[in-house]
């Protein structure tokens, strides 16, 4: 499967990932802690999002499992396994139904707290959490997508867990600001060193930045590694509307910005917070 993803990249010249899921649900009034529970409580809503991304022409669609944190059982009432299995099963059904050549990704976010020395969670506890998350469904998806990480030891734990319990290709992504640091102070060098040491199939930057802001940052990052690079910028900067976080940017401007990232040599692109299927359709149109 590792090869067939990159075969498609070679043949097509690009791979289009999907846009956001969680931020769209949050903008529609779902509490952030309840996003993954929608897999069980309102499955059609999640299936529809998956299908929209499939019909928009995305090559890689990720499961609605980003929010499955260490404490998710307390906040959602469901186990990690229930939330992950339901999110992944809905994704696989949507892909099978469409009969399209789409790759599925198990979406894995940070565990949701702070590791020592910033917090009280130990590296071993984080490792155990990621092993549980990954083994709940990694046999079913084509890719493991680690995204929006800010602490280098956190993503290191997730990468180690992936290696221990799965042989699927890993796409690993951290979220950097315009200053080329994560909000935890991790630098490009730190991330590039970890990539060289752990060798995921692809490494990326996601969230925090708009396409225009991400372009110079990812251009510099690209030169620091020799593996496939991917970019998933946000659709503008968030604003608060009636107490809810929403992202507003002209979809065409967003898509043109992502296409520019593609033209700078980043051949795997998609969107993060606020982006939807229409954004992905526009990106594909411009790139083609
Ligand atoms: Zn985001």
């Amino acid at each position: 499967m590792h090869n067939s993803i990159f075969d498609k990249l070679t043949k097509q010249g690009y791979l289009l990932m999907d846009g956001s899921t969680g931020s769209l649900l949050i903008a529609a009034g779902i509490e952030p802690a309840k996003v993954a529970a929608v897999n069980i409580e309102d499955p059609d809503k999640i299936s529809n999002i998956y299908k929209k991304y499939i019909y928009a022409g995305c090559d890689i669609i990720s499961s609605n499992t980003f929010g499955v944190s260490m404490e998710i059982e307390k906040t959602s009432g469901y186990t990690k396994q229930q939330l992950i299995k339901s999110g992944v099963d809905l994704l696989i059904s949507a892909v099978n139904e469409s009969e399209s050549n789409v790759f599925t990704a198990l979406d894995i976010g940070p565990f949701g707290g702070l590791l020592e020395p910033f917090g009280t969670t130990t590296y071993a506890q984080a490792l155990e959490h990621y092993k549980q998350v990954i083994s709940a469904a990694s046999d079913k998806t084509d890719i493991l997508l680690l995204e929006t990480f800010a602490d280098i030891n956190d993503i290191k734990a997730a990468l180690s867990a992936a290696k221990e319990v799965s042989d699927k290709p890993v796409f690993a992504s951290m979220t950097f600001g315009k200053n080329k640091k994560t909000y935890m102070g991790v630098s490009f060098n730190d991330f590039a060193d970890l990539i060289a040491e752990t060798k995921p199939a692809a490494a990326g930057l996601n969230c925090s930045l708009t396409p225009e802001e991400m372009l110079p940052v990812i251009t510099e990052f690209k030169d620091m590694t020799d593996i496939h690079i991917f970019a998933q910028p946000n659709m503008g900067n968030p604003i608060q509307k009636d107490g809810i976080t929403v992202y507003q940017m002209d979809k065409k401007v967003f898509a043109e910005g992502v296409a520019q990232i593609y033209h700078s040599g980043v051949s795997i692109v998609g969107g993060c917070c606020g982006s939807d299927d229409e954004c992905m359709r526009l990106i594909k149109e411009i790139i083609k």
Side-chain angles (χ1 to χ4, degrees):
M1 190 48 77
H2 195 144
N3 282 332
S4 61
I5 294 166
F6 295 111
D7 283 352
K8 189 172 187 186
L9 173 60
T10 308
K11 227 181 273 171
Q12 193 173 254
Y14 65 90
L15 286 175
L16 184 60
M17 298 178 82
D18 57 4
S20 66
T21 303
S23 63
L24 296 180
L25 294 170
I26 291 165
I30 307 274
E31 274 176 63
K34 299 276 185 192
V35 165
V38 183
N39 295 342
I40 294 164
E41 292 171 357
D42 197 353
D44 286 350
K45 195 172 249 164
I46 302 303
S47 289
N48 285 335
I49 294 176
Y50 293 152
K51 285 176 192 165
K52 281 182 176 178
Y53 284 127
I54 294 168
Y55 296 129
C58 296
D59 301 300
I60 299 170
I61 318 254
S62 48
S63 58
N64 179 41
T65 50
F66 173 79
V68 178
S69 64
M70 203 177 260
E71 301 290 322
I72 194 73
E73 196 164 343
K74 285 182 201 154
T75 52
S76 74
Y78 301 104
T79 66
K80 295 172 195 175
Q81 287 78 10
Q82 285 174 314
L83 295 166
I84 290 168
K85 256 193 79 16
S86 54
V88 167
D89 287 347
L90 290 170
L91 174 57
I92 289 170
S93 300
V95 169
N96 287 344
E97 219 177 279
S98 73
E99 294 177 10
S100 48
N101 179 20
V102 170
F103 297 97
T104 56
L106 172 60
D107 193 342
I108 301 152
F111 74 86
L114 291 173
L115 276 178
E116 291 177 333
F118 307 105
T120 53
T121 305
T122 65
Y123 182 85
Q125 287 169 325
L127 183 70
E128 186 52 36
H129 164 73
Y130 293 119
K131 286 202 303 202
Q132 288 170 0
V133 165
I134 294 166
S135 44
S138 72
D139 56 329
K140 298 183 179 183
T141 65
D142 303 312
I143 299 168
L144 305 180
L145 172 64
L146 314 178
E147 54 140 326
T148 329
F149 282 79
D151 179 347
I152 197 78
N153 286 320
D154 195 1
I155 194 165
K156 191 176 181 178
L159 281 160
S160 301
K163 198 154 273 179
E164 266 188 64
V165 299
S166 167
D167 55 5
K168 295 295 169 71
V170 176
F171 281 40
S173 175
M174 296 192 82
T175 185
F176 286 90
K178 281 187 268 191
N179 62 354
K180 298 163 207 156
K181 291 213 159 152
T182 73
Y183 64 82
M184 300 284 292
V186 173
S187 71
F188 271 0
N189 279 323
D190 300 331
F191 191 31
D193 287 349
L194 183 66
I195 290 165
E197 183 190 321
T198 56
K199 299 185 178 61
L205 307 188
N206 79 293
C207 212
S208 298
L209 302 173
T210 67
E212 193 187 354
E213 290 166 344
M214 190 177 277
L215 179 63
V217 177
I218 201 156
T219 306
E220 190 176 325
F221 179 66
K222 186 164 56 71
D223 293 337
M224 298 178 69
T225 88
D226 52 6
I227 64 170
H228 293 288
I229 296 293
F230 64 98
Q232 295 196 286
N234 281 354
M235 204 180 83
N237 292 307
I239 57 162
Q240 295 295 316
K241 212 174 174 182
D242 305 324
I244 293 173
T245 304
V246 294
Y247 292 79
Q248 290 176 320
M249 184 178 188
D250 184 83
K251 292 180 185 182
K252 195 128 191 264
V253 173
F254 171 80
E256 277 161 359
V258 174
Q260 250 184 305
I261 292 176
Y262 162 74
H263 286 299
S264 79
V266 177
S267 49
I268 309 172
V269 292
C272 200
C273 297
S275 61
D276 64 6
D277 57 306
E278 182 58 20
C279 296
M280 298 306 115
R281 198 189 314 276
L282 288 166
I283 295 168
K284 191 168 176 121
E285 238 175 64
I286 299 168
I287 289 180
K288 275 169 95 182

